[in-house]
Amino acid sequence: MTESAGKPHPGSAAPEPQFADRSYRSVPGIISGVMLLAVAGWLIVDAVISGTGKTPWIALAAAPVFALPVFAYTLRPVVYANERRLLVRNPLRTVEAPWAAVEGLRAGYSVELFAGGKKYQVWAVPVSLRQRKRANRQAARAAAAGDPVISGGRPRPESGRPSNPSAGRAARAGDADPTRAWSDQVVDSLQELAERNAARPDAAGSVSVRWCWWIIAPTLAGLAAMIVLIVAG
């Protein structure tokens, strides 16, 4: 009689609990993408119904040319992270990096992932310089007022100096922290996961990159069809 897969063998170590992936994505990007797709859909449907001659066919050919890139650059980008790996879904490709292959993350003018000796942009976590300046002003005001609580509820050191930047890594990226920009919180959270899980046996491996051909191919086909219809005029 075989034992159920979910029960450990007697005397064996209990399996580690499995947690759902953390996900990070830009809410403003999602909102703008939905609005752009709604406008594009209305224009294309109107052209198909009301257009004459080749206009309906050009509108149909234009649908993937406009809709798929909008979807790719606004709704598709997301970052997933668990105990084993970091998965970065960019507009046209997906990067999967086991934690052992992650060399670091940086939030400058954009968020960048360094893994496997290469650099990858992280589209799902845009950097807002305005938000960062506003957060810096909030932090300066809190420091001037002697606020004893900063960055995720951690107490300020007794010396009165700002806390070590790595202290913010303990705060989850979803925490409300007006003294730090959202992109900086996400980078610190992911960096903490990388440092914590890099030594795990199941976090080893190489970086894999997959191109999103289901977006690229229809877009190029629609563009070619548009050109042919317009030139054949």
Side-chain angles (χ1 to χ4, degrees):
M1 187 185 217
T2 59
E3 297 182 354
S4 62
K7 294 181 180 179
H9 255 289
S12 65
E16 293 187 17
Q18 297 296 315
F19 299 98
D21 285 6
R22 298 186 190 182
S23 62
Y24 308 89
R25 66 197 318 162
S26 170
V27 174
I30 295 174
I31 295 173
S32 61
V34 170
M35 293 176 64
L36 287 171
L37 287 174
V39 172
W42 177 75
L43 292 174
I44 290 171
V45 170
D46 181 68
V48 170
I49 295 175
S50 306
T52 58
K54 292 185 177 180
T55 300
W57 297 105
I58 294 176
L60 289 174
V65 177
F66 291 99
L68 288 178
V70 168
F71 171 83
Y73 282 88
T74 60
L75 302 181
R76 175 177 154 78
V78 64
V79 173
Y80 293 111
N82 59 25
E83 289 82 5
R84 297 181 297 100
R85 56 94 180 105
L86 176 69
L87 189 144
V88 177
R89 202 168 72 188
N90 282 335
L92 299 180
R93 62 180 180 174
T94 299
V95 180
E96 186 172 0
W99 288 121
V102 174
E103 296 146 13
L105 293 105
R106 180 175 65 192
Y109 292 105
S110 63
V111 174
E112 298 168 334
L113 165 67
F114 298 88
K118 294 184 179 180
K119 180 175 73 174
Y120 305 93
Q121 298 295 320
V122 181
W123 284 78
V125 186
V127 172
S128 170
L129 298 181
R130 190 162 116 190
Q131 185 185 68
R132 184 177 286 168
K133 289 178 181 178
R134 185 168 62 248
N136 289 339
R137 287 196 298 269
Q138 290 275 2
R141 282 197 291 267
D147 190 347
V149 178
I150 60 171
S151 188
R154 287 191 173 269
R156 187 182 299 279
E158 295 178 1
S159 63
R161 294 187 304 236
S163 66
N164 191 309
S166 63
R169 294 176 188 172
R172 295 193 56 165
D175 293 343
D177 183 3
T179 65
R180 305 190 65 241
W182 176 71
S183 57
D184 297 333
Q185 294 185 66
V186 171
V187 167
D188 282 352
S189 179
L190 294 176
Q191 188 67 44
E192 182 197 18
L193 285 173
E195 294 171 1
R196 185 197 307 162
N197 297 307
R200 289 173 59 98
D202 56 353
S206 57
V207 178
S208 66
V209 179
R210 301 185 300 275
W211 288 94
C212 189
W213 291 109
W214 67 268
I215 288 178
I216 298 173
T219 301
L220 294 178
L223 182 61
M226 274 184 63
I227 295 173
V228 169
L229 288 169
I230 293 172
V231 170

